[in-house]
Amino acid sequence: MKTNLIYVFADQWRYQAIGYTKKDQVLTPNMDRFAEESLCFENAYSTFPLCTPHRGSLMTGKYPYSVGLWTNCKIGLEEKIMLKPQEICIGNVLQDAGYRTAYIGKWHLDSSEQNFVRHPVSGAVHWDAYTPPGERRQGFEYWLSYGACDDHLNPHYWADSPEQIRPGRWSAEYETDKALEYLEGRKAGDAPFALFLSYNPPHLPYELVPDCYYEKFRDLQIEWRGNVPEEKRTPEMETIARQYFSAIYGIDKQFGRILSYLKEKEMEENTLVVLSSDHGEMLGSHGLMSKNIWYEESIHIPLLMRQKNRIRAGRNGVMFASPDHMPTLLELLGLRVPDTCEGRSHAASVLGETEESPQHMFLCSYPGSPESVSAFAEQGMNHKAHGWRGIKTPEYTYVVTNGYMPEEKQEEYFYDDKNDPWQLHPRRVERDCKDDIIVECRKLLKWYLGMLGDSFLWEKDRE
């Protein structure tokens, strides 16, 4: 019997915000029990800590630059950002292998409809999009999704027509209802299934969380991480932290419903369950909010895999990058990995076998706001040669940043994450530095840039 797949991932959910890591003040009893039964990856990171780029890597097994997803699918850019239907995606491979495929929740991989039509029939506005049946669904048959909209308490979805579905419920609860409905609709003897369930919370707006979850945290005394500066430790920020933790508590409740169903239906042994996210959330660390920066709170993500009596529970320290998800999942399902995949399969490591893989990965970000892209264009400069690139290992983070505007100077940083886990004391590297570890970092970064054909400007002016 072929193994089923359920892949659950939440938006903007950081590694520190799951109970078993004992980092944040979250309550995640269902996820913690799942962790006890799962292989938990301690070094899973978002290669490009932004929604569309990570999701593109997840679906294609390729790096964001390779797949043309150098920023979010959005309006206001001359280039229309989208996951092109010509790409070979995990849904295509699963469908071709006889799997019934389903996608529920946030997609954010199709071009915003208002890039082409001021008033789309679907009613999609701003970065949102209705993806009609066909090749742009990348092999997913059952579809209940939307492009990008953050109205968590009053969400909308599209199925197979441009008519919006508005359930009037917190998005994660409704999406779990539909996921369970999809699973319950299967009949004995049906083909194996692959279900991707994409929750938008705990993505901002942070306040859009049901009171029933917020009540658990209303009076919580926030214990700030050691890299949150005093000026960020305000009553307003305390409220945001409580709201963030509340949304994760709500997600835990919904994930628990999925786990209960699998146990009740005796599907735990023939279903590979994966729990993850697309990137993290700074939540005041280093004085910052949101993501798209190289710090741990932004790039470090949860990644847990369970298939009872096949995958041994425990901790795994392999470096797991965004493009590695697709090849790993396919190999675990016994399917051929397409040659187009640039990521590395860690299936051998998942199954307890020896894996010889480098303990480093590539990190990146590119200027993506319309204002930034226009500023580079006005000076005849390639915006994709800027932003920042880096190398991550279990011990350190190395970054070269060219900034997001033309006038910014280049900076080079080295963080000793093992001895400085809060990343408060980076080493500012001079261009003429010849230290062995810096030389090796530069060599690795240049190798990744060459492999990807990345146009990153190495010799930009410094102070």
Side-chain angles (χ1 to χ4, degrees):
M1 181 179 296
K2 288 185 176 180
T3 297
N4 302 310
L5 171 65
I6 298 179
Y7 190 103
V8 180
F9 63 121
D11 198 334
Q12 209 149 311
W13 176 38
R14 67 190 192 182
Y15 166 83
Q16 296 82 8
I18 182 170
Y20 87 89
T21 67
K22 303 187 186 306
K23 304 285 187 182
D24 284 342
Q25 296 166 279
V26 290
L27 291 175
T28 56
N30 294 299
M31 294 173 180
D32 295 347
R33 283 192 292 271
F34 181 72
E36 292 174 358
E37 303 169 344
S38 301
L39 187 62
C40 305
F41 290 87
E42 301 299 275
N43 290 313
Y45 290 89
S46 184
T47 296
F48 186 159
L50 195 64
C51 298
T52 293
H54 172 87
R55 290 161 185 268
S57 285
L58 168 65
M59 289 295 148
T60 64
K62 298 169 75 170
Y63 286 89
Y65 191 82
S66 299
V67 79
L69 300 175
W70 48 267
T71 188
N72 276 331
C73 298
K74 61 176 66 173
I75 57 175
L77 297 173
E78 183 176 342
E79 184 176 340
K80 307 303 184 271
I81 307 298
M82 66 176 294
L83 177 58
K84 298 176 179 61
Q86 295 84 0
E87 296 289 347
I88 299 174
C89 295
I90 190 169
N92 304 123
V93 178
L94 290 165
Q95 185 179 51
D96 290 345
Y99 276 75
R100 304 303 301 271
T101 54
Y103 194 96
I104 297 174
K106 179 176 178 176
W107 179 240
H108 207 182
L109 285 170
D110 207 352
S111 183
S112 307
E113 286 192 78
Q114 286 192 324
N115 280 325
F116 309 102
V117 182
R118 179 173 295 182
H119 301 292
V121 174
S122 67
V125 296
H126 303 304
W127 294 8
D128 203 4
Y130 160 58
T131 301
E135 60 183 2
R136 295 201 332 258
R137 292 188 179 180
Q138 306 291 359
F140 290 104
E141 302 164 357
Y142 177 91
W143 188 265
L144 186 70
S145 185
Y146 60 94
C149 182
D150 299 320
D151 194 354
H152 308 315
L153 294 177
N154 185 30
H156 64 259
Y157 304 86
W158 290 282
D160 295 332
S161 76
E163 181 180 357
Q164 290 188 9
I165 299 167
R166 288 189 171 270
R169 300 180 57 202
W170 192 50
S171 59
E173 292 175 345
Y174 177 71
E175 289 157 16
T176 305
D177 286 349
K178 301 306 288 186
L180 293 172
E181 180 183 294
Y182 173 81
L183 295 175
E184 188 64 21
R186 298 180 63 256
K187 299 179 176 59
D190 276 359
F193 68 85
L195 166 63
F196 281 71
L197 178 56
S198 172
Y199 295 134
N200 198 3
H203 189 286
L204 74 166
Y206 310 101
E207 68 272 15
L208 297 184
V209 59
D211 289 340
C212 62
Y213 304 126
Y214 185 71
E215 282 301 320
K216 280 279 187 181
F217 300 86
R218 186 179 298 277
D219 300 318
L220 179 68
Q221 290 296 113
I222 300 299
E223 299 171 3
W224 295 108
R225 287 176 62 77
N227 54 14
V228 177
E230 286 297 328
E231 60 268 23
K232 270 290 183 181
R233 303 184 182 195
T234 64
E236 292 77 14
M237 273 298 302
E238 289 181 351
T239 298
I240 289 173
R242 295 184 188 112
Q243 293 165 341
Y244 184 74
F245 297 157
S246 301
I248 293 164
Y249 178 60
I251 292 294
D252 178 81
K253 289 282 189 182
Q254 307 316 310
F255 185 63
R257 295 170 61 198
I258 301 289
L259 298 179
S260 296
Y261 181 89
L262 295 177
K263 184 178 181 64
E264 175 189 340
K265 299 297 182 180
E266 299 182 344
M267 296 171 63
E268 294 176 314
E269 293 188 6
N270 71 333
T271 304
L272 170 61
V273 182
V274 182
L275 178 65
S276 191
S277 75
D278 54 3
H279 52 74
E281 159 63 57
M282 292 302 294
L283 205 64
S285 289
H286 301 280
L288 302 172
M289 295 296 293
S290 203
K291 62 273 187 176
N292 205 14
I293 188 68
W294 55 79
Y295 294 119
E296 280 284 310
E297 293 81 5
S298 170
I299 64 174
H300 204 169
I301 61 173
L303 178 60
L304 301 86
M305 297 186 183
R306 187 194 77 177
Q307 186 178 357
K308 287 197 172 181
N309 294 330
R310 186 186 181 207
I311 297 176
R312 182 175 297 178
R315 302 291 182 264
N316 188 303
V318 70
M319 294 301 299
F320 209 114
S322 300
D324 299 343
H325 291 245
M326 175 174 168
T328 301
L329 294 174
L330 290 179
E331 194 167 330
L332 288 173
L333 297 176
L335 303 178
R336 179 182 173 275
V337 177
D339 294 337
T340 51
C341 282
E342 296 172 337
R344 179 182 299 272
S345 171
H346 300 293
S349 183
V350 173
L351 298 175
E353 302 168 10
T354 301
E355 177 187 334
E356 296 183 4
S357 63
Q359 284 293 281
H360 56 75
M361 59 169 282
F362 178 63
L363 301 173
C364 62
S365 178
Y366 306 77
S369 72
E371 296 78 14
S372 178
V373 173
S374 295
F376 282 106
E378 287 170 3
Q379 296 194 28
M381 302 168 69
N382 176 11
H383 67 275
K384 296 176 187 176
H386 299 266
W388 56 265
R389 313 290 189 272
I391 297 293
K392 184 76 186 78
T393 80
E395 290 80 31
Y396 63 78
T397 305
Y398 166 78
V399 174
V400 182
T401 176
N402 285 339
Y404 290 103
M405 295 299 283
E407 63 273 12
E408 293 184 59
K409 304 294 185 181
Q410 186 179 86
E411 299 281 356
E412 187 174 3
Y413 298 110
F414 181 88
Y415 298 81
D416 183 350
D417 298 332
K418 185 175 182 180
N419 296 307
D420 178 23
W422 300 119
Q423 298 178 300
L424 288 171
H425 307 289
R427 174 183 175 184
R428 185 175 178 181
V429 182
E430 298 299 331
R431 179 162 282 164
D432 61 356
C433 178
K434 297 295 191 297
D435 288 3
D436 289 346
I437 193 167
I438 300 301
V439 171
E440 180 62 22
C441 287
R442 290 169 173 170
K443 179 180 176 182
L444 281 173
L445 183 52
K446 288 180 178 180
W447 180 85
Y448 276 110
L449 296 174
M451 182 266 290
L452 296 171
D454 190 319
S455 58
F456 187 69
L457 181 61
W458 194 264
E459 298 296 335
K460 188 175 182 180
D461 289 342
R462 299 193 180 192
E463 294 291 350

